[in-house]
Structures are given as structure tokens and as C-alpha cells.
Amino acid sequence: MEEHELTNSTVNVWKDIEQDKIDHMWDIILEKFDFDVSEERKGAILGHMSDIYRGYKHKLKKSISIQRQLVKFA
């Protein structure tokens, strides 16, 4: 599954991502990294993923805003 298939650009916040997609991302992490899994660690990693997603959405929104402004001046 490609990165763009894991999330949808219409999903505004991490908590709205379908649980099966979050579970799939978690499975990918477990396949790629070797570490002791605990609920605390899983929560921390998923929290970090939420932060990354929020940053991604912010950059995407900013990029779209800039593109719209450039179209106005073109």
C-alpha cells in the first residue's frame, strides 16, 4: 500500500482516519523496526504519527493557499 493510499486528503484530523488504516500503518512499523512493543510505546508512536499528519496537513493547506494566491495574480 502506497503512502497516499494510507490516508485521504479529505481527512482533516488524525482521529478521523479509519482504524483499519491506522492498524495497517502500525503493522508496517512493526515489520520495519525491531523494538519491544508495549501499549505505552505504541501510544507514543501513534501520537507522534498524529503530530506528523497534522504537520503534513498544515503544509498541504499552506501550499494550496499559495497556489490560489498565485493564480489570482497570473
Side-chain angles (χ1 to χ4, degrees):
M1 193 175 270
E2 297 294 321
E3 178 183 340
H4 66 277
E5 295 175 23
L6 293 175
T7 60
N8 185 323
S9 61
T10 62
V11 177
N12 291 321
V13 291
W14 176 260
K15 68 178 184 170
D16 292 340
I17 295 175
E18 298 169 7
Q19 187 61 44
D20 63 322
K21 292 186 180 193
I22 292 174
D23 293 341
H24 182 71
M25 288 184 265
W26 179 247
D27 290 340
I28 291 170
I29 289 170
L30 293 177
E31 288 174 13
K32 293 190 179 271
F33 301 98
D34 183 28
F35 59 91
D36 294 329
V37 179
S38 68
E39 285 302 312
E40 183 177 314
R41 181 167 288 172
K42 181 178 180 179
I45 291 170
L46 291 177
H48 184 64
M49 290 170 64
S50 173
D51 294 342
I52 291 169
Y53 188 72
R54 185 172 51 251
Y56 160 76
K57 291 298 288 190
H58 174 75
K59 288 179 184 179
L60 181 63
K61 185 176 179 181
K62 186 175 179 178
S63 174
I64 290 170
S65 176
I66 290 170
Q67 287 176 357
R68 286 182 180 159
Q69 289 174 5
L70 291 173
V71 168
K72 287 180 186 179
F73 294 111

